Amino acid sequence: MQQVKKVVLAYSGGVDTSVCIPYLKNEYGIAEVVTFVADLGQGDDLELVRQKALNSGATISVIGNLIDKFVEQYAFPAIRANALYGEKYPLSTALARPLIAENLVNLARELNADAVAHGCTGKGNDQVRFDLAIHALGPDLQIITPAREWKMSREEAILYGEKFGIPAPVSKKSPYSIDVNLLGRSIEAGLLEDPMQEPNEDVFDMTSSIYDAPNAPKDIEIVFQSGLPIAIDNEFLSPVDIIQKANSLAGEHGFGRIDMIEDRVVGIKSREIYEAPGLLLLIKAHKELESITLNPDVLDFKNLVEKKWGQLVYQGFWFGPLKQALDGFIDSTQSSVNGKVKIRLHKGNAIVIGRSSENNSLYREDLATYSKDDIFNHKQAEGFIYMWGMSNKIWAELNSKMNN
Ligand code: ARG
């Protein structure tokens, strides 16, 4: 391997990625460490984070405002795909990684760096997502992963940092490992490692508990155009604003918490707590609208595609050929997904109470009705059932002969 001269490091401002800066310079002999911090709506003061990187020895420290792209090109496709890994997790963390990776690669190109780096450990999914996305976009770039190689405990990492002027964290570190962006929060480790241990209320930040949620239910209406949410309660909103509004409505009513055992890419099961109120609400509403606007065979097949799409994104294949091909299928189904869905938010629930589509509804009241307006031809059912059940009837006749 060639000696790396300049590296672009994915930076969060936390202890681990801060320690990566002197570590890359001293242990890997890299002259220039450029840091990149992504604004994904996590709510940190990123100018402080940028300064911290410089104080820790970075030569250049860049903030990337990725929030609009994150929603439009990552969250919205996930809504169209009704994507839920393990039938529960809407991929709020997983979706961010390929976008960060893309920006690391672009910055490496711009600044003529020969490597990119991240601070992920060897046990999680995020390392897989970063590495696979970087391989796809910059196959010539080296990937350096200090935290996968150093054998330092957290305390040792803090001591190592202190030698290079990185202050030890002032507040006692949260006992949990938390990842946050506009779409949601992931909370792992600490007490939660016991899968039978209920999470303390203090792990949550975007959602109320069902005890604190308002007693009165709230009914809302979400409007979709071509499978994308465009308005809530008749207020037309930008993509970012619609996620924000959905987050606050669902969060206030305690909808959007997930507690699950998850199958990580690296083969271990882990206990995960998430909150992703807006994304879960929008997926639920979107799926409901599809039930009235898509043909049954398309719905049935799309279910399979959705499951695979979620797995691919979870497992790091955002930029892979199968994911792209499935995007093509999903996109082609969405032009008729227009209309609105009415939902009642109440004490941790989001209950669908109505759906309609002005121009794309496949629901026909004149066919569905049991009233005198019914136009369905009942007589035709006989011939249909004669053939529909033919093979089963033949089988049953043969069996009853053999048993007698
Ligand atoms: N298990 C989740 C996932 O794979 C959450 C990962 C959280 N990442 C973190 N660095 N804390 O998407």
Side-chain angles (χ1 to χ4, degrees), residues 94-152:
L95 289 164
R97 298 302 181 253
L99 176 57
I100 298 170
E102 183 186 1
N103 280 269
L104 294 175
V105 171
N106 290 346
L107 194 57
R109 299 278 186 244
E110 212 175 288
L111 301 175
N112 245 323
D114 32 13
V116 293
H118 60 72
C120 301
T121 68
K123 209 159 127 173
N125 297 315
D126 289 327
Q127 54 162 351
V128 180
R129 298 167 185 150
F130 275 127
D131 287 13
L132 265 58
I134 294 160
H135 286 150
L137 302 173
D140 54 304
L141 289 168
Q142 278 195 53
I143 305 176
I144 306 177
T145 58
R148 210 150 61 184
E149 281 146 43
W150 71 37
K151 292 186 181 74
M152 297 190 284

Side-chain angles (χ1 to χ4, degrees), residues 89 91-95 97 120 124-126 129 177-179 186-188 262 264 270 272 274 314:
Y89 166 44
L91 303 167
S92 38
T93 292
L95 289 164
R97 298 302 181 253
C120 301
N125 297 315
D126 289 327
R129 298 167 185 150
S177 164
I178 298 176
D179 180 67
S186 135
I187 309 107
E188 299 172 331
E262 184 174 291
R264 285 196 191 170
S270 64
E272 306 278 335
Y274 299 103
Y314 184 86

Side-chain angles (χ1 to χ4, degrees), residues 17 20 30 36 74-75 79 97-99 112 126 136 147 180 205 222-223 234 238 243 251 253 317 356 379 381 392:
T17 53
C20 280
I30 301 175
F36 176 79
Y74 289 78
I79 292 170
R97 298 302 181 253
L99 176 57
N112 245 323
D126 289 327
V180 189
D205 190 45
I222 305 175
V223 181
N234 285 322
S238 73
I243 296 277
H253 288 272
F317 293 103
S356 75
K379 183 79 191 107
N392 257 37

